[in-house]
Short mmCIF file of all heavy atoms in Angstrom, two decimals:
data_model
loop_
_atom_site.label_atom_id
_atom_site.label_comp_id
_atom_site.label_asym_id
_atom_site.label_seq_id
_atom_site.Cartn_x
_atom_site.Cartn_y
_atom_site.Cartn_z
N SER G 9 -17.82 13.83 13.76
CA SER G 9 -17.80 13.22 12.43
C SER G 9 -18.24 14.22 11.37
O SER G 9 -17.62 14.32 10.30
CB SER G 9 -18.71 12.00 12.42
OG SER G 9 -18.69 11.37 11.17
N ALA G 10 -19.30 14.96 11.66
CA ALA G 10 -19.80 15.97 10.70
C ALA G 10 -18.77 17.08 10.47
O ALA G 10 -18.62 17.57 9.35
CB ALA G 10 -21.11 16.55 11.20
N LEU G 11 -18.07 17.46 11.53
CA LEU G 11 -17.05 18.50 11.39
C LEU G 11 -15.90 18.04 10.49
O LEU G 11 -15.44 18.79 9.64
CB LEU G 11 -16.53 18.90 12.77
CG LEU G 11 -17.48 19.70 13.65
CD1 LEU G 11 -16.92 19.89 15.05
CD2 LEU G 11 -17.79 21.06 13.03
N PHE G 12 -15.45 16.81 10.68
CA PHE G 12 -14.40 16.28 9.81
C PHE G 12 -14.89 16.17 8.37
O PHE G 12 -14.15 16.42 7.42
CB PHE G 12 -13.92 14.93 10.31
CG PHE G 12 -12.85 15.01 11.37
CD1 PHE G 12 -13.08 14.51 12.65
CD2 PHE G 12 -11.63 15.60 11.10
CE1 PHE G 12 -12.09 14.58 13.62
CE2 PHE G 12 -10.63 15.67 12.06
CZ PHE G 12 -10.87 15.17 13.33
N GLY G 13 -16.16 15.78 8.20
CA GLY G 13 -16.74 15.72 6.86
C GLY G 13 -16.76 17.08 6.19
O GLY G 13 -16.47 17.21 5.00
N THR G 14 -17.09 18.11 6.97
CA THR G 14 -17.11 19.47 6.43
C THR G 14 -15.71 19.94 6.07
O THR G 14 -15.50 20.57 5.02
CB THR G 14 -17.73 20.43 7.46
OG1 THR G 14 -19.03 19.96 7.82
CG2 THR G 14 -17.85 21.84 6.89
N LEU G 15 -14.74 19.65 6.92
CA LEU G 15 -13.36 20.05 6.65
C LEU G 15 -12.80 19.36 5.41
O LEU G 15 -11.98 19.92 4.69
CB LEU G 15 -12.48 19.73 7.86
CG LEU G 15 -12.71 20.59 9.11
CD1 LEU G 15 -11.93 20.03 10.29
CD2 LEU G 15 -12.32 22.03 8.85
N THR G 16 -13.28 18.14 5.14
CA THR G 16 -12.83 17.42 3.95
C THR G 16 -13.19 18.17 2.68
O THR G 16 -12.46 18.12 1.69
CB THR G 16 -13.43 16.00 3.94
OG1 THR G 16 -13.06 15.32 5.13
CG2 THR G 16 -12.92 15.20 2.74
N ILE G 17 -14.33 18.86 2.70
CA ILE G 17 -14.74 19.67 1.54
C ILE G 17 -13.67 20.71 1.21
O ILE G 17 -13.34 20.95 0.04
CB ILE G 17 -16.09 20.36 1.81
CG1 ILE G 17 -17.17 19.31 2.06
CG2 ILE G 17 -16.48 21.27 0.65
CD1 ILE G 17 -18.46 19.89 2.60
N LEU G 18 -13.13 21.34 2.26
CA LEU G 18 -12.10 22.36 2.05
C LEU G 18 -10.82 21.76 1.46
O LEU G 18 -10.18 22.36 0.60
CB LEU G 18 -11.77 23.04 3.39
CG LEU G 18 -12.94 23.74 4.09
CD1 LEU G 18 -12.49 24.33 5.41
CD2 LEU G 18 -13.54 24.81 3.20
N VAL G 19 -10.46 20.55 1.92
CA VAL G 19 -9.26 19.90 1.40
C VAL G 19 -9.47 19.50 -0.06
O VAL G 19 -8.55 19.61 -0.88
CB VAL G 19 -8.89 18.66 2.25
CG1 VAL G 19 -7.58 18.07 1.78
CG2 VAL G 19 -8.79 19.03 3.72
N ILE G 20 -10.67 19.03 -0.39
CA ILE G 20 -10.99 18.71 -1.78
C ILE G 20 -10.82 19.95 -2.66
O ILE G 20 -10.25 19.88 -3.76
CB ILE G 20 -12.43 18.15 -1.89
CG1 ILE G 20 -12.51 16.76 -1.27
CG2 ILE G 20 -12.88 18.10 -3.36
CD1 ILE G 20 -13.92 16.21 -1.18
N TYR G 21 -11.30 21.09 -2.17
CA TYR G 21 -11.15 22.35 -2.90
C TYR G 21 -9.67 22.67 -3.14
O TYR G 21 -9.25 23.00 -4.26
CB TYR G 21 -11.81 23.48 -2.12
CG TYR G 21 -11.59 24.85 -2.73
CD1 TYR G 21 -12.47 25.36 -3.69
CD2 TYR G 21 -10.49 25.63 -2.37
CE1 TYR G 21 -12.26 26.61 -4.27
CE2 TYR G 21 -10.27 26.88 -2.95
CZ TYR G 21 -11.16 27.35 -3.89
OH TYR G 21 -10.95 28.58 -4.46
N LYS G 22 -8.85 22.56 -2.09
CA LYS G 22 -7.43 22.90 -2.20
C LYS G 22 -6.70 21.95 -3.15
O LYS G 22 -5.88 22.40 -3.96
CB LYS G 22 -6.79 22.85 -0.81
CG LYS G 22 -7.30 23.91 0.15
CD LYS G 22 -6.90 25.31 -0.27
CE LYS G 22 -5.43 25.55 -0.11
NZ LYS G 22 -5.05 26.96 -0.44
N ILE G 23 -6.99 20.66 -3.04
CA ILE G 23 -6.32 19.70 -3.92
C ILE G 23 -6.71 19.95 -5.38
O ILE G 23 -5.86 19.91 -6.28
CB ILE G 23 -6.69 18.26 -3.50
CG1 ILE G 23 -6.00 17.90 -2.18
CG2 ILE G 23 -6.29 17.25 -4.58
CD1 ILE G 23 -6.38 16.54 -1.63
N THR G 24 -7.99 20.20 -5.61
CA THR G 24 -8.46 20.47 -6.98
C THR G 24 -7.79 21.71 -7.55
O THR G 24 -7.41 21.75 -8.73
CB THR G 24 -9.98 20.64 -7.00
OG1 THR G 24 -10.59 19.53 -6.35
CG2 THR G 24 -10.50 20.74 -8.43
N HIS G 25 -7.63 22.73 -6.71
CA HIS G 25 -7.01 23.98 -7.18
C HIS G 25 -5.55 23.76 -7.54
O HIS G 25 -5.03 24.33 -8.51
CB HIS G 25 -7.13 25.06 -6.11
CG HIS G 25 -6.91 26.45 -6.64
ND1 HIS G 25 -5.68 27.05 -6.63
CD2 HIS G 25 -7.77 27.33 -7.22
CE1 HIS G 25 -5.78 28.25 -7.17
NE2 HIS G 25 -7.03 28.45 -7.54
N ILE G 26 -4.85 22.91 -6.77
CA ILE G 26 -3.46 22.60 -7.08
C ILE G 26 -3.36 21.82 -8.39
O ILE G 26 -2.49 22.06 -9.22
CB ILE G 26 -2.81 21.79 -5.94
CG1 ILE G 26 -2.71 22.64 -4.68
CG2 ILE G 26 -1.42 21.31 -6.34
CD1 ILE G 26 -2.25 21.88 -3.46
N LEU G 27 -4.30 20.89 -8.59
CA LEU G 27 -4.24 20.03 -9.77
C LEU G 27 -4.59 20.77 -11.05
O LEU G 27 -3.94 20.58 -12.09
CB LEU G 27 -5.19 18.84 -9.59
CG LEU G 27 -4.84 17.82 -8.51
CD1 LEU G 27 -5.94 16.76 -8.41
CD2 LEU G 27 -3.50 17.16 -8.79
N PHE G 28 -5.63 21.62 -11.00
CA PHE G 28 -6.16 22.19 -12.24
C PHE G 28 -6.05 23.71 -12.34
O PHE G 28 -6.36 24.28 -13.39
CB PHE G 28 -7.63 21.77 -12.40
CG PHE G 28 -7.81 20.28 -12.46
CD1 PHE G 28 -8.38 19.59 -11.41
CD2 PHE G 28 -7.38 19.55 -13.56
CE1 PHE G 28 -8.55 18.22 -11.46
CE2 PHE G 28 -7.53 18.18 -13.62
CZ PHE G 28 -8.11 17.51 -12.56
N LEU G 29 -5.68 24.38 -11.24
CA LEU G 29 -5.37 25.81 -11.25
C LEU G 29 -6.53 26.70 -11.72
O LEU G 29 -6.32 27.79 -12.24
CB LEU G 29 -4.14 26.08 -12.13
CG LEU G 29 -2.86 25.34 -11.73
CD1 LEU G 29 -1.77 25.60 -12.75
CD2 LEU G 29 -2.41 25.73 -10.33
N LYS G 30 -7.76 26.21 -11.54
CA LYS G 30 -8.93 27.00 -11.91
C LYS G 30 -9.92 27.00 -10.77
O LYS G 30 -10.32 25.94 -10.28
CB LYS G 30 -9.59 26.45 -13.18
CG LYS G 30 -8.83 26.76 -14.46
CD LYS G 30 -9.64 26.38 -15.68
CE LYS G 30 -8.92 26.75 -16.97
NZ LYS G 30 -9.71 26.41 -18.17
N GLN G 31 -10.34 28.21 -10.38
CA GLN G 31 -11.25 28.31 -9.24
C GLN G 31 -12.61 27.70 -9.56
O GLN G 31 -13.26 27.13 -8.69
CB GLN G 31 -11.42 29.77 -8.83
CG GLN G 31 -12.14 29.94 -7.50
CD GLN G 31 -12.21 31.37 -7.04
OE1 GLN G 31 -12.19 32.28 -7.86
NE2 GLN G 31 -12.30 31.59 -5.75
N SER G 32 -13.05 27.81 -10.82
CA SER G 32 -14.36 27.26 -11.18
C SER G 32 -14.39 25.75 -10.97
O SER G 32 -15.36 25.21 -10.42
CB SER G 32 -14.67 27.59 -12.64
OG SER G 32 -13.66 27.07 -13.50
N ILE G 33 -13.32 25.06 -11.37
CA ILE G 33 -13.25 23.61 -11.17
C ILE G 33 -13.19 23.29 -9.68
O ILE G 33 -13.84 22.34 -9.21
CB ILE G 33 -12.04 23.02 -11.91
CG1 ILE G 33 -12.12 23.30 -13.41
CG2 ILE G 33 -11.94 21.51 -11.67
CD1 ILE G 33 -10.92 22.84 -14.20
N SER G 34 -12.43 24.09 -8.94
CA SER G 34 -12.28 23.85 -7.50
C SER G 34 -13.61 24.01 -6.76
O SER G 34 -13.93 23.23 -5.87
CB SER G 34 -11.24 24.81 -6.91
OG SER G 34 -10.01 24.72 -7.60
N ILE G 35 -14.37 25.02 -7.14
CA ILE G 35 -15.67 25.27 -6.49
C ILE G 35 -16.64 24.13 -6.80
O ILE G 35 -17.38 23.67 -5.92
CB ILE G 35 -16.25 26.62 -6.94
CG1 ILE G 35 -15.40 27.77 -6.36
CG2 ILE G 35 -17.69 26.78 -6.50
CD1 ILE G 35 -15.78 29.13 -6.85
N ILE G 36 -16.64 23.67 -8.04
CA ILE G 36 -17.53 22.55 -8.41
C ILE G 36 -17.13 21.29 -7.66
O ILE G 36 -17.98 20.53 -7.18
CB ILE G 36 -17.49 22.32 -9.93
CG1 ILE G 36 -18.12 23.52 -10.65
CG2 ILE G 36 -18.25 21.04 -10.31
CD1 ILE G 36 -17.93 23.51 -12.15
N ALA G 37 -15.82 21.06 -7.51
CA ALA G 37 -15.34 19.90 -6.75
C ALA G 37 -15.80 19.98 -5.30
O ALA G 37 -16.25 18.99 -4.71
CB ALA G 37 -13.82 19.81 -6.83
N ALA G 38 -15.69 21.18 -4.71
CA ALA G 38 -16.15 21.37 -3.33
C ALA G 38 -17.65 21.11 -3.22
O ALA G 38 -18.12 20.50 -2.26
CB ALA G 38 -15.80 22.77 -2.86
N PHE G 39 -18.40 21.57 -4.22
CA PHE G 39 -19.85 21.34 -4.24
C PHE G 39 -20.15 19.84 -4.31
O PHE G 39 -21.00 19.33 -3.57
CB PHE G 39 -20.47 22.07 -5.43
CG PHE G 39 -21.94 21.80 -5.59
CD1 PHE G 39 -22.89 22.48 -4.83
CD2 PHE G 39 -22.40 20.85 -6.50
CE1 PHE G 39 -24.24 22.22 -4.97
CE2 PHE G 39 -23.75 20.58 -6.65
CZ PHE G 39 -24.67 21.27 -5.88
N LEU G 40 -19.45 19.14 -5.21
CA LEU G 40 -19.66 17.69 -5.34
C LEU G 40 -19.32 16.97 -4.03
O LEU G 40 -20.00 16.02 -3.64
CB LEU G 40 -18.82 17.13 -6.48
CG LEU G 40 -19.20 17.58 -7.89
CD1 LEU G 40 -18.21 17.02 -8.92
CD2 LEU G 40 -20.62 17.17 -8.25
N GLY G 41 -18.26 17.42 -3.36
CA GLY G 41 -17.90 16.83 -2.08
C GLY G 41 -18.95 17.10 -1.02
O GLY G 41 -19.22 16.25 -0.16
N ALA G 42 -19.55 18.28 -1.09
CA ALA G 42 -20.55 18.66 -0.08
C ALA G 42 -21.86 17.92 -0.25
O ALA G 42 -22.57 17.67 0.73
CB ALA G 42 -20.80 20.17 -0.16
N VAL G 43 -22.21 17.56 -1.49
CA VAL G 43 -23.52 16.92 -1.74
C VAL G 43 -23.41 15.44 -2.06
O VAL G 43 -24.43 14.78 -2.28
CB VAL G 43 -24.27 17.63 -2.89
CG1 VAL G 43 -24.50 19.10 -2.57
CG2 VAL G 43 -23.51 17.49 -4.22
N SER G 44 -22.19 14.90 -2.10
CA SER G 44 -22.02 13.47 -2.37
C SER G 44 -22.81 12.65 -1.37
O SER G 44 -22.63 12.77 -0.16
CB SER G 44 -20.54 13.09 -2.30
OG SER G 44 -20.37 11.69 -2.17
N PHE G 45 -23.68 11.79 -1.88
CA PHE G 45 -24.51 10.97 -0.99
C PHE G 45 -23.65 10.14 -0.04
O PHE G 45 -23.92 10.05 1.16
CB PHE G 45 -25.41 10.04 -1.81
CG PHE G 45 -26.16 9.05 -0.97
CD1 PHE G 45 -27.35 9.41 -0.35
CD2 PHE G 45 -25.66 7.77 -0.76
CE1 PHE G 45 -28.04 8.50 0.44
CE2 PHE G 45 -26.34 6.86 0.02
CZ PHE G 45 -27.53 7.22 0.63
N ASN G 46 -22.60 9.54 -0.58
CA ASN G 46 -21.76 8.66 0.24
C ASN G 46 -21.01 9.42 1.32
O ASN G 46 -20.89 8.95 2.46
CB ASN G 46 -20.78 7.90 -0.65
CG ASN G 46 -21.47 6.86 -1.51
OD1 ASN G 46 -22.00 5.89 -1.01
ND2 ASN G 46 -21.50 7.10 -2.82
N LEU G 47 -20.50 10.61 1.00
CA LEU G 47 -19.78 11.40 2.00
C LEU G 47 -20.73 12.01 3.02
O LEU G 47 -20.41 12.08 4.21
CB LEU G 47 -18.96 12.49 1.31
CG LEU G 47 -17.85 11.99 0.37
CD1 LEU G 47 -17.07 13.17 -0.21
CD2 LEU G 47 -16.91 11.05 1.10
N VAL G 48 -21.90 12.47 2.58
CA VAL G 48 -22.89 13.00 3.51
C VAL G 48 -23.37 11.89 4.44
O VAL G 48 -23.50 12.08 5.66
CB VAL G 48 -24.09 13.61 2.75
CG1 VAL G 48 -25.23 13.94 3.71
CG2 VAL G 48 -23.66 14.87 2.01
N HIS G 49 -23.62 10.73 3.86
CA HIS G 49 -24.13 9.59 4.64
C HIS G 49 -23.14 9.18 5.73
O HIS G 49 -23.53 9.00 6.89
CB HIS G 49 -24.39 8.42 3.69
CG HIS G 49 -24.93 7.20 4.36
ND1 HIS G 49 -24.12 6.14 4.70
CD2 HIS G 49 -26.17 6.87 4.77
CE1 HIS G 49 -24.85 5.20 5.29
NE2 HIS G 49 -26.10 5.61 5.34
#
Side-chain angles (χ1 to χ4, degrees):
S9 181
L11 288 173
F12 275 118
T14 304
L15 290 171
T16 303
I17 299 168
L18 301 178
V19 185
I20 290 173
Y21 174 89
K22 294 293 290 183
I23 289 176
T24 308
H25 198 268
I26 294 173
L27 293 176
F28 300 109
L29 302 175
K30 285 189 177 181
Q31 191 176 27
S32 58
I33 301 176
S34 305
I35 291 173
I36 293 170
F39 175 82
L40 293 176
V43 301
S44 163
F45 173 84
N46 290 293
L47 296 182
V48 170
H49 180 261

